[in-house]
Structures are given as structure tokens and as C-alpha cells.
Amino acid sequence: MRFFIDTANIDQILEAKDLGILDGVTTNPSLMAKEGITGKNNILKHYKKICDLVDGDVSAEVISTNYEGMVEEGRMLADLADNIVVKVPMIKDGVKAISWFTENDILTNCTLVFSAGQALLAAKAGATYLSPFVGRVDDISWDGMELIREIAEIYAIQSFETEILAASIRSPLHIVQAAKSGADVITSPLSSILGLLNHPLTDIGLEKFLADYNKLNS
Ligand code: E4P
């Protein structure tokens, strides 16, 4: 399973890259706004900066909600760098735009996915990645991870090549569960990735090893 970081924050992207485990980046308009990046030119410049820092795929989301607008924006984004993935919402015009991008060899990430039916449509349109929002499904007391399992089963049976990118990850446990549920990729905030490191027995064990070493070597 590959690890993407879900942020537009350059320091966090560099910290994840420094760990040696970073396979890509996802952003969305809310994450760009959180970094205070506004205006078309600044947004494009910021995407380009991220693409230059990261070897893997970088998802950049379109703002348009009609087919023509999405195609125009997506072409502009795809021209920025080879590792741009055009992120397109799961709406009727979005599916049509994904089909166009697929025919024109532009990578896509179908976002805002909450059902197996939506996952089927996105795969039929040839989406490179599919982003089911695990955390937001959990937020309404449904089972986000069950959605990942259901889509993974369908994609395996139907031999779809679309990769399942578990999104809206909220905890280290979500990352582990996504790995068990058949996700190809997770996209996560840095805090949840770093949370995977934690275990009290590791801390206790390390303290004891060092104390024993120091008894004989100081
Ligand atoms: C990433 O592709 C999604 O936009 C993101 O994971 C959504 O996360 P949230 O539900 O925590 O906003």
C-alpha cells in the first residue's frame, strides 16, 4: 500500500518525504485555503512547487462543476508537471470529464466518493484513482471501512484497474484498517502517519536497552 500525505503544507510534505515513506500528495480547495493560498496564479505556482518536491503523484482539484470548465482547468493543471493528477468530483459532468481525461492520457482522481455505485461509474470512466471518504462516512455513523472493502471486492471481481485511494483518514487505526481492507493507497494527515510510530512498549524497551548499555559503558 502506498502512502500519500493529505496537505498543501510544504513543511509537512518535506517532513513526510524526509521519513522516506512518501509516495505522493493529495490536496483539495479546503487544504489550499488553510495555507492561505488564493488567486489562480498563486494556486498554480503552489501546485508546481509541490510537484517539484515530490517524486510521486500530486492530486490538484478542479473548481469548475461543468464538463467544459473541468476539462479546461484539468488541461491547465496537467500542463504544470508530469506528476499532476487532476482531481474531479463525483458528479455527472465529473464522470464525463474523467472519460475525456482518460482518452487523452491525463491521470485523474475521482473525489467525494461515498458509495459502491459511484465507485463503479468512476472505474468505468477510467479514473486512475478513486477517493472514498472513510472519515466522513464514519462521521454519519456508517462504516467507512466497509465501503473500502466493498469497492475492493467489486474492483477485484471486475478486474478494474482504478486504484482505491482511501481518503478522509482521521487516525493511525484508519491507516491500518485501510491496509487490511484492500486500499491501494491511503492519503492521510501527517499526524496520523506519525501516530503509527507510537507504542509504549517500544519506549519502555528502548529505555531499558539504553540503561543496561550505560551501566557497563559509562
Ligand atoms: C483527500 O483527497 C480528501 O479531500 C481529504 O482526505 C478529505 O478529508 P477530510 O474529510 O478530513 O476533510
Side-chain angles (χ1 to χ4, degrees):
M1 187 175 80
R2 284 180 289 150
F3 275 52
F4 289 1
I5 188 166
D6 195 25
T7 186
N9 181 284
I10 299 294
D11 289 341
Q12 291 187 15
I13 291 169
L14 288 175
E15 190 174 338
K17 186 184 175 190
D18 196 46
L19 264 181
I21 53 88
L22 188 64
D23 298 306
V25 176
T26 54
T27 61
N28 62 37
S30 305
L31 293 172
M32 293 295 271
K34 198 172 162 191
E35 298 308 312
I37 300 161
T38 52
K40 191 173 149 190
N41 284 345
N42 289 336
I43 289 173
L44 291 177
K45 258 192 237 162
H46 197 74
Y47 282 141
K48 176 80 178 117
K49 191 171 176 182
I50 296 173
C51 287
D52 289 344
L53 287 175
V54 175
D55 289 333
D57 288 343
V58 175
S59 288
E61 189 159 341
V62 298
I63 305 300
S64 309
T65 52
N66 62 70
Y67 168 71
E68 290 80 11
M70 286 188 216
V71 167
E72 190 189 332
E73 248 189 272
R75 291 176 72 170
M76 198 166 42
L77 290 167
D79 279 345
L80 284 178
D82 287 344
N83 53 341
I84 278 279
V85 175
V86 180
K87 206 171 175 190
V88 178
M90 169 38 78
I91 54 177
K92 193 174 174 189
D93 280 38
V95 171
K96 200 172 153 188
I98 289 170
S99 300
W100 188 91
F101 290 129
T102 305
E103 276 165 26
N104 288 277
D105 296 322
I106 292 175
L107 305 180
T108 52
N109 175 355
C110 181
T111 190
L112 289 166
V113 170
F114 296 93
S115 77
Q118 292 177 327
L120 260 174
L121 267 184
K124 283 291 289 174
T128 316
Y129 295 103
L130 178 92
S131 289
F133 277 30
V134 172
R136 292 194 197 183
V137 174
D138 286 358
D139 286 345
I140 58 159
S141 302
W142 287 23
D143 186 345
M145 224 38 84
E146 180 53 35
L147 176 61
I148 300 290
R149 284 190 289 274
E150 193 181 7
I151 296 169
E153 188 182 350
I154 291 170
Y155 280 12
I157 291 169
Q158 300 296 331
S159 303
F160 283 129
E161 286 176 9
T162 299
E163 293 198 87
I164 302 170
L165 201 181
S168 189
I169 292 285
R170 302 275 171 81
S171 67
L173 185 59
H174 266 163
I175 299 177
V176 173
Q177 289 172 332
K180 285 167 72 178
S181 303
D184 300 292
V185 193
I186 54 99
T187 189
S188 166
L190 182 63
S191 56
S192 298
I193 295 173
L194 295 180
L196 291 169
L197 288 165
N198 298 335
H199 200 293
L201 290 179
T202 304
D203 301 336
I204 293 166
L206 184 60
E207 202 176 316
K208 174 133 180 36
F209 284 156
L210 294 180
D212 289 343
Y213 174 86
N214 286 331
K215 262 187 243 160
L216 296 179
N217 293 281
S218 54

